[in-house]
Amino acid sequence: MAKDNATANDGRKPIRVWVDGCFDMMHFGHANALRQARAMGDYLVVGVHSDEEVERNKGPCVMKEDERYAAVAACKWADEVVKDAPYVTAMETLDKYDIDFVVHGDDITTAADGTDCYQQVKDAGRYKECKRTVGISTTELVGRMLLVTRDHHIRGNRSIRSPMQGVDEAAVANFSQGSMPAGALTGIAHYLSTSKKIIQFSSGREPQTDDKVVYVDGAFDLFHTGHIEFFKRAREFGDYLLVGVHDDQTVNAIKGGNFPVMNLQERVLGVLQCRYVDEVIIGAPFSVTKDVLEDVYHVDAVVHGASDQPLDIDGKDPYALPKQLGIYHEVEHPRLDLTTTVIIERIIANRQVYIERQARKAKKAVSEAEQEQREKEVRAALRM
């Protein structure tokens, strides 16, 4: 993380910015908010609410608080993480951390009692807005898992052959037949990425002549702390981490079901926001080829998780070439217990809880939208 220097590069006092939230299933929409907020100042402090605070005001989280703290800390735009931040942002919190202003998305967030969580800082003139990333939210991702849809996939020509691995298919098959209408779960948004967004998320750094390039690959679906710990360990084998992200049809052919939950564009942005990643190959082949090892950069080491050894569609070892070249390494990390399948199983195990949460959040969203519209009308009237 960046150091909070006493003065900014131009000699002035650094502008300290505050962003807070649940950051459940920390996705690229969250990261984009942090990116925008960081650009407004010199040092970004991110407050993350505890499980208890979120449960009281919003409903249960999918990810546990320690997982959410770690996920935010791994985002390259976060300079400092404050654990157990209050759900309602008060002036006392800003003063405690020497914050100049708060940044939040261009939507209203309300507490359990219906009040605006940022009203105090708005009244004090210490509030700014950033643009919300349309097409992605935790609610949307949970909805995809509840409905078991593949509508979000980027279509290609690769056939789907394999059944879902590691998840009880009978349990999953019932998800799209619940008593709740689909609209209460999700609208199944289609996030449309652009070259500008990818550039904004990219590091822009090229490997130096003496840098050792490390290559890892995978689906990296529902980007989580298991992926983060793997990247951290893989980067120890060199100086520059190149990540291959498989396309939707490849992932679905290997894993089956409705995998991946997030499409290729969404997964690439999730990987790029991680502070341990330098560059990404979009739509990398499942088997590591000579092109992968030589055409982008000269790869010195290929690293893979010790507990995950899938074969390619043709039944061959996807790491045969790097093994032959003597550059293949396997690593273990402290979050081997957390996988994309585990996250989906959390949803499966608490299906009714999450269906009810989705319905409450949908109702709350309507109320917040109405409140936001009223505020806009008041502001417009004051300008006349």
Side-chain angles (χ1 to χ4, degrees):
M1 295 185 186
K3 293 182 179 179
D4 184 16
N5 298 320
T7 58
N9 291 334
D10 56 4
R12 60 179 170 76
K13 176 186 175 295
I15 297 173
R16 293 171 60 87
V17 182
W18 174 276
V19 173
D20 58 22
C22 307
F23 302 103
D24 193 15
M25 298 173 67
M26 174 76 179
H27 51 70
F28 67 91
H30 295 135
N32 194 39
L34 300 190
R35 180 190 66 80
Q36 295 178 76
R38 182 63 172 77
M40 295 182 192
D42 303 300
Y43 190 85
L44 180 61
V45 182
V46 185
V48 183
H49 311 314
S50 67
D51 289 346
E52 183 179 354
E53 276 281 85
V54 178
E55 176 82 31
R56 183 187 306 116
N57 289 278
K58 196 173 186 177
C61 282
V62 177
M63 309 305 290
K64 300 170 185 176
E65 61 186 49
D66 64 315
E67 296 165 347
R68 294 184 289 110
Y69 296 151
V72 173
C75 179
K76 60 187 176 185
W77 294 295
D79 295 306
E80 180 180 341
V81 172
V82 173
K83 301 177 181 180
D84 193 16
Y87 201 82
V88 175
T89 308
M91 295 300 297
E92 290 81 3
T93 301
L94 270 59
D95 293 339
K96 178 179 179 180
Y97 293 98
D98 193 24
I99 301 298
D100 292 280
F101 55 83
V102 175
V103 175
H104 185 66
D106 50 1
D107 56 343
I108 285 182
T109 299
T110 57
D113 60 3
T115 58
D116 187 339
C117 293
Y118 299 98
Q119 196 59 56
Q120 289 186 44
V121 293
K122 286 179 179 179
D123 292 342
R126 293 169 69 178
Y127 176 86
K128 294 186 179 183
E129 287 185 349
C130 64
K131 289 188 66 65
R132 182 180 176 276
T133 305
V134 177
I136 186 67
S137 67
T138 302
T139 303
E140 159 70 21
L141 295 176
V142 171
R144 290 182 193 178
M145 287 182 273
L146 289 173
L147 292 177
V148 196
T149 176
R150 285 198 295 267
D151 292 345
H152 56 282
H153 288 187
I154 299 171
R155 300 299 177 189
N157 297 320
R158 192 150 188 175
S159 61
I160 298 171
R161 305 183 194 178
S162 303
M164 180 181 284
Q165 296 178 351
V167 175
D168 184 344
E169 288 191 86
V172 174
N174 294 326
F175 269 177
S176 58
Q177 303 172 6
S179 58
M180 296 295 295
L185 302 176
T186 177
I188 303 301
H190 296 261
Y191 176 74
L192 301 176
S193 188
T194 62
S195 58
K196 180 180 178 181
K197 185 61 63 189
I198 291 175
I199 290 170
Q200 288 173 337
F201 272 52
S202 298
S203 71
R205 188 175 86 84
E206 292 287 314
Q208 300 300 307
T209 305
D210 57 348
D211 278 353
K212 188 175 181 179
V213 176
V214 180
Y215 179 73
V216 300
D217 64 348
F220 305 113
D221 198 13
L222 299 176
F223 194 74
H224 53 71
T225 51
H227 298 136
I228 292 166
E229 288 297 331
F230 170 60
F231 286 166
K232 191 186 300 185
R233 296 299 186 280
R235 211 176 194 286
E236 294 174 356
F237 285 83
D239 311 288
Y240 190 95
L241 186 62
L242 175 64
V243 181
V245 183
H246 306 315
D247 66 36
D248 296 343
Q249 278 59 54
T250 298
V251 176
N252 192 264
I254 297 296
K255 294 199 171 187
N258 71 322
F259 286 111
V261 177
M262 303 181 80
N263 68 41
L264 176 61
Q265 298 170 348
E266 296 169 332
R267 291 182 286 115
V268 164
L269 292 176
V271 170
L272 282 172
Q273 61 86 23
C274 181
R275 65 175 66 252
Y276 304 109
V277 174
D278 294 293
E279 183 60 285
V280 166
I281 296 179
I282 302 172
F286 193 78
S287 288
V288 180
T289 63
K290 183 178 178 182
D291 292 340
V292 170
L293 298 180
E294 297 180 1
D295 286 2
V296 180
Y297 302 116
H298 173 75
V299 173
D300 299 283
V302 174
V303 180
H304 191 63
S307 63
D308 181 24
Q309 298 292 329
L311 299 178
D312 205 338
I313 293 296
D314 58 8
K316 294 181 179 179
D317 181 356
Y319 299 99
L321 179 58
K323 286 178 180 178
Q324 179 185 337
L325 296 172
I327 61 172
Y328 177 80
H329 307 272
E330 292 183 355
V331 295
E332 294 188 352
H333 58 78
R335 291 317 311 259
L336 287 171
D337 60 318
L338 183 62
T339 65
T340 300
T341 298
V342 167
I343 294 171
I344 293 173
E345 287 177 340
R346 289 180 185 179
I347 304 293
I348 293 173
N350 297 281
R351 176 194 181 219
Q352 193 58 41
V353 171
Y354 286 110
I355 286 177
E356 291 171 358
R357 187 190 85 154
Q358 298 292 85
R360 286 198 307 272
K361 290 184 72 174
K363 183 177 180 181
K364 186 179 179 184
V366 171
S367 175
E368 290 174 345
E370 292 173 349
Q371 186 175 341
E372 183 179 357
Q373 182 58 35
R374 288 194 296 270
E375 287 193 7
K376 287 181 178 178
E377 291 172 357
V378 170
R379 289 197 296 269
L382 292 173
R383 286 196 295 266
M384 294 178 63

